[in-house]
Amino acid sequence: MSEEYEYRHEVEDLQQKSATAARLFDVRRIIGGLFVIYGIIVLIAGFTASDADVRKASGININLWTGSCMLAVGLLFLLWMRLRPLSAPGAEPKPEPARPGGGPGAGPGTGEPGPGEPGGREPGSGTG
């Protein structure tokens, strides 16, 4: 009995490590983090841009705009990762809560006509 317990405990431990590794190497985290870091760097370059740099870009502080857009995209990736986390590989999705009256054997409305409805059988009609 204890061997079975140890085996189950080991399997659960490996599943937990696998789920942690999957979340750690989520591509959204890597891409979002890089966009945030580079966005901050370019944003700083935009704040410290000289008048000559702005004149080269037709009067637009391109580093300021590009840095703020990169920062926004990176934060959106990280928000997406936060709102929709990865599940463990091979894990079953969480079941949806059952709706009242739904499911097999719920009576009329499940796709088969009930007694007294068009196409329905009356009890004792001998068909079927």
Side-chain angles (χ1 to χ4, degrees):
M1 183 76 158
S2 67
E3 290 179 19
E4 183 178 336
Y5 174 77
E6 289 176 17
Y7 176 73
R8 285 185 183 174
H9 182 67
E10 185 177 336
V11 168
E12 290 171 0
D13 188 40
L14 288 174
Q15 287 175 342
Q16 184 178 7
K17 286 180 183 178
S18 175
T20 302
R23 282 191 298 273
L24 181 65
F25 294 110
D26 187 1
V27 173
R28 298 174 294 184
R29 177 179 302 209
I30 296 167
I31 292 173
L34 286 174
F35 265 104
V36 166
I37 291 169
Y38 291 142
I40 290 172
I41 292 170
V42 174
L43 202 60
I44 291 171
F47 283 129
T48 61
S50 66
D51 289 334
D53 292 334
V54 174
R55 277 195 306 271
K56 283 183 190 176
S58 301
I60 299 170
N61 192 343
I62 196 71
N63 285 337
L64 193 64
W65 283 100
T66 304
S68 60
C69 289
M70 288 176 75
L71 185 62
V73 168
L75 292 174
L76 284 175
F77 266 91
L78 295 176
L79 180 69
W80 177 28
M81 181 195 67
R82 184 76 150 163
L83 294 176
R84 302 277 303 205
L86 287 178
S87 59
E92 297 178 14
K94 294 180 182 176
E96 295 290 326
R99 294 182 306 182
T110 59
E112 294 185 22
E117 294 181 15
R121 293 186 284 166
E122 293 295 327
S125 64
T127 58

